[in-house]
Structure formats: structure tokens, C-alpha cells
Amino acid sequence: MDNHSPLRGFIYRTDEEMCARAEAFCAAMQNRRTVRDFSPSPIPRAVIEACLRAAGSAPSGANQQPWHFCVVSDPEIKSKIRIAAEAEEREFYAQRATEEWLSALAPLGTDANKPFLETAPYLIVCFGLRYGQDERGQRIKHYYVPESVNIAIGFLIAALHSAGLATLTHTPSPMKFLNEICNRPEHEHPYVLLVVGKPAPHAFVPNITKKKLDDISSWIE
């Protein structure tokens, strides 16, 4: 086919190599923890850029890559994001959240205060593009936007963890304030506000467990 080329770069590995690499990756990802206590120590921009390139390699509907990652390190902008996010969070905890929801959150120890939005060196706002535009400004329909964006965010979190960074997926609701603060257009929908940095030396995390393999998978053979 004229618009195709041979697959390049794929490495065929032995069964033993595949098993070893899969186990190593699994062990590395099982050490990933969401943290809320971040160190303010700076992170090289090149690290974030490489992780964003990894996120940009994710599969997407019709390869339209309907995502935009807005990286924020400016202290003034981070402060504005914190103020707006905490306002939404206070309303959530006081009015919008059901008792059942609050009960589910209780073991995590979360509340409306989000100091990490200013402490962490980087915030990455992950936007999904409802549609694209061609060179003439005409709309291009995008397909499977939520699925595509969420896969890319998964790639990004894994890449950041692999690089040695901690993350927090923050999802204040609603998040339209992020469009205004980040100067992004209306057709971009914020999905996740990703907090990125090194854990603070005193960081604590909740005592939680993950479901076992038999609880999250089934096999039809």
C-alpha cells in the first residue's frame, strides 16, 4: 500500500526475555504510589519533554492524536490554579459529594486543601481536543477522544514514574477554569491535572492494597 511502510524498530524477543521484561516492568509499576507531599526541588525540563514524547506515541482513534499537554511551572500560574481548584473542592466536599462518596475517600485522608499544586515543580494539564483544524481552519472530526486521551495519560504517568518522578492525578470538578488560566480554547476539554515532582522526604501515603490478578482478569482459552 502506498501510504504504508515496513514495520521498523520492533525487537523480537525470546519467551524468557519477554517474561523477564514483563516481570521487571510489573515490579517497577507496583512501586508507583500517588503522593500528596511533594518536594519543590527542580526537575530538568528535558525529563518532562521526553515523557511527553512518550505520551504522544500512544495509540489514538484514526491516529488523530486528540490531546494537548499544558505544562505549568510558573509560580503565579500555579497559585491561580490552586485557588480555583480549592474553590471547586470546597464546594465538592461541602455540597456536591454524597455521603457514600465521602466515605470512600475517607481512608485516603483527602480534603479541599491542595498545597501540592504550588509545591510541586510541574503541573501538567491534560486536555482532550473535541475536534481538530486543518490548515484553512476547517473543523476535523475526532474519534474516540476520551479513550485516546486516557491511554495517553496512562503512558505519561508510566513514563514519569519510570524516570523517577512521583505523580498525583487531580480531577477537580468542574475544570473549565483550567481553560481560562492556561489560555486554551473552548474545544479543548481538561481531563486530568497531573502534579509532577519528587516526593518530599517526609512524604506519607495511605495504607492501601491493589486487587489481585484473579480479581481483575478472566481468561477464555
Side-chain angles (χ1 to χ4, degrees):
M1 294 183 286
D2 292 340
N3 63 338
H4 285 62
S5 59
L7 173 66
R8 303 184 189 281
F10 187 88
I11 300 174
Y12 291 89
R13 304 187 186 277
T14 65
D15 290 353
E16 291 77 11
E17 288 174 326
M18 288 190 292
C19 287
R21 291 173 66 87
E23 288 292 347
F25 183 78
C26 176
M29 292 307 296
Q30 285 180 331
N31 284 329
R32 188 207 65 79
R33 290 299 304 268
T34 294
V35 304
R36 291 174 174 82
D37 298 314
F38 283 86
S39 165
S41 60
I43 304 298
R45 174 171 170 161
V47 175
I48 306 300
E49 289 179 343
C51 293
L52 291 174
R53 290 198 301 271
S57 73
S60 61
N63 192 39
Q64 290 173 323
Q65 305 164 58
W67 44 64
H68 181 86
F69 301 98
C70 183
V71 185
V72 180
S73 60
D74 182 277
E76 183 177 347
I77 302 301
K78 289 195 295 181
S79 178
K80 288 181 179 180
I81 290 175
R82 178 185 178 182
I83 291 170
E86 287 185 337
E88 296 295 348
E89 290 290 277
R90 284 193 294 271
E91 186 173 342
F92 167 80
Y93 280 95
Q95 300 180 30
R96 294 200 299 266
T98 63
E99 287 301 322
E100 183 179 22
W101 198 343
L102 293 174
S103 177
L105 289 172
L108 302 180
T110 62
D111 57 29
N113 299 308
K114 310 297 178 184
F116 45 75
L117 293 175
E118 290 189 271
T119 306
Y122 284 107
L123 305 178
I124 303 178
V125 188
C126 307
F127 289 93
L129 282 62
R130 295 187 177 94
Y131 58 85
Q133 293 179 312
D134 63 17
E135 296 80 4
R136 297 173 296 175
Q138 299 296 312
R139 288 191 181 190
I140 300 173
K141 181 176 175 58
H142 281 168
Y143 304 93
Y144 299 105
V145 174
E147 296 86 348
S148 301
V149 174
N150 288 328
I151 292 170
I153 293 171
F155 272 43
L156 179 56
I157 292 171
L160 291 165
H161 176 70
S162 179
L165 295 173
T167 57
L168 167 69
T169 50
H170 184 42
T171 53
S173 179
M175 291 194 283
K176 287 299 293 181
F177 66 86
L178 290 168
N179 289 75
E180 180 179 351
I181 294 175
C182 298
N183 195 29
R184 301 308 305 170
E186 281 290 318
H187 71 279
E188 295 187 5
H189 173 70
Y191 277 71
V192 169
L193 174 54
L194 195 63
V195 186
V196 180
K198 295 179 181 178
H202 63 275
F204 278 74
V205 294
N207 295 319
I208 60 173
T209 59
K210 296 295 185 180
K211 294 180 180 179
K212 296 180 179 179
L213 179 60
D214 288 345
D215 296 325
I216 64 171
S217 65
S218 57
W219 298 67
I220 303 175
E221 297 179 311

